[in-house]
Amino acid sequence: MASTPIVDYVPEDEWPAVSTMLEGLGEQALVASPSLAGSSIVLLDENGSTTEHMFQTATTLHWKSDAAQGATTGTATYKAIEAREGIFIVDFVVGDGIEARNSTFVHNTTTDVTTSGFSTFVTGEDKVRGERISSMPPHPNAPAHPRSSELVGRRIYYRYSDSEAYEHIYLTPGAFTWHCVRGGEQGMADTERCMTFDVAEDLYLFFWTEKVMTVEAVLLVDLREKRSIGHMFGWEDSSHEPVVLPFNSRLSILNTTTYPHDHNKH
């Protein structure tokens, strides 16, 4: 019986560059969809400003914001993947270098519910860090995907390619542990801040921010279809440029942990 080689603790100063994973993650198996062309999505940000995203073609969108400061209009190249019928994950990048900003939407055309997140870079302590900004529905009474705890307790194995495999252990609604079982980060592991949203039955939008590497990541985890799809938005220190790593995986639920009934007793 073959076993996975044991790799000892890897100190942070020996971790590879973000781009190390680029080749190993492979191509996304689900192709881009043109179905959003001709439609639009309006989102409200935390400052109360609204931004309309108009999908002009299968790959180009125009956005227009009523924000008091900053750019108010622009064009971007986007990618939309139909993860399930009528449910799309959309991502695009606006800006260059340290000013780059990644936007990700999950949009349900049947219910007209959208959840999105925006990743930016900030500088501090001589290092570029990732930062996530959440958006809200276009008005306070609009339907929204709720925060979820459905992944908590699960241990899931993700096969990104023949050479890359990771496991996730979901600890709480706001924290999870990742571990590279096979690939460029083999033996590396950490516990990160995260957020999960219910999108549909057994379908979850999962965000996380890494502490050591400058990485913001988004996964649409589909337990029904046993797959995930998403990307990482990171900063490459050697080139001083943002890096986008699209990926997907086939997944297996290894186990689900439940605590004994007496776990609250002292």
Side-chain angles (χ1 to χ4, degrees):
M1 178 177 173
S3 60
T4 302
I6 296 175
V7 179
D8 204 351
Y9 175 77
V10 181
E12 292 180 10
D13 59 5
E14 296 181 13
W15 286 28
V18 173
S19 57
T20 300
M21 296 177 286
L22 190 59
E23 292 185 7
L25 291 178
E27 298 293 329
Q28 288 178 323
L30 297 181
V31 298
S33 170
S35 298
L36 293 182
S39 66
S40 65
I41 297 174
V42 178
L43 295 172
L44 178 72
D45 68 22
E46 293 177 326
N47 298 320
S49 302
T50 59
T51 302
E52 182 178 11
H53 301 81
M54 295 156 280
F55 299 94
Q56 297 176 314
T57 70
T59 58
T60 302
L61 66 80
H62 183 77
W63 56 271
K64 182 172 62 177
S65 173
D66 64 4
Q69 297 178 341
T72 58
T73 186
T75 300
T77 299
Y78 76 93
K79 184 176 185 179
I81 293 177
E82 191 168 12
R84 285 192 190 174
E85 184 176 358
I87 300 177
F88 296 84
I89 181 169
V90 181
D91 67 85
F92 61 94
V93 176
V94 173
D96 300 306
I98 198 70
E99 301 298 327
R101 166 170 149 153
N102 174 250
S103 300
T104 302
F105 306 155
V106 167
H107 178 63
N108 189 325
T109 58
T110 301
T111 61
D112 200 31
V113 177
T114 304
T115 295
S116 63
F118 306 98
S119 297
T120 61
F121 298 119
V122 294
T123 55
E125 299 178 356
D126 299 322
K127 187 174 184 179
V128 176
R129 303 300 306 162
E131 183 177 59
R132 177 164 297 281
I133 303 169
S134 299
S135 70
M136 298 178 289
H139 56 83
N141 296 322
H145 296 125
R147 284 286 300 272
S148 175
S149 60
E150 288 299 313
L151 293 180
V152 173
R154 299 183 192 268
R155 186 172 192 157
I156 300 180
Y157 184 76
Y158 294 93
R159 303 171 185 84
Y160 293 102
S161 69
D162 291 340
S163 62
E164 297 280 340
Y166 286 73
E167 65 175 340
H168 287 183
I169 304 169
Y170 301 96
L171 304 172
T172 72
F176 87 112
T177 295
W178 60 265
H179 165 224
C180 181
V181 179
R182 183 177 67 248
E185 295 186 330
Q186 186 172 352
M188 293 163 52
D190 209 347
T191 298
E192 317 286 12
R193 180 182 179 182
C194 66
M195 289 192 298
T196 307
F197 295 86
D198 286 318
V199 176
E201 185 175 0
D202 289 332
L203 183 65
Y204 307 98
L205 177 61
F206 182 68
F207 295 107
W208 82 85
T209 301
E210 298 197 9
K211 300 189 299 294
V212 177
M213 302 178 79
T214 305
V215 167
E216 295 274 327
V218 183
L219 273 183
L220 194 55
V221 181
D222 193 333
L223 300 186
R224 188 188 75 184
E225 301 299 325
K226 300 293 189 294
R227 68 186 178 203
S228 74
I229 190 162
H231 70 272
M232 292 182 178
F233 181 64
W235 182 257
E236 185 66 86
D237 288 320
S238 60
S239 63
H240 301 288
E241 290 291 339
V243 179
V244 179
L245 296 87
F247 55 78
N248 59 199
S249 76
R250 303 302 303 178
L251 66 83
S252 299
I253 300 174
L254 300 180
N255 59 57
T256 300
T257 299
T258 56
Y259 293 108
H261 293 299
D262 63 351
H263 74 276
N264 285 325
K265 295 181 179 180
H266 297 287

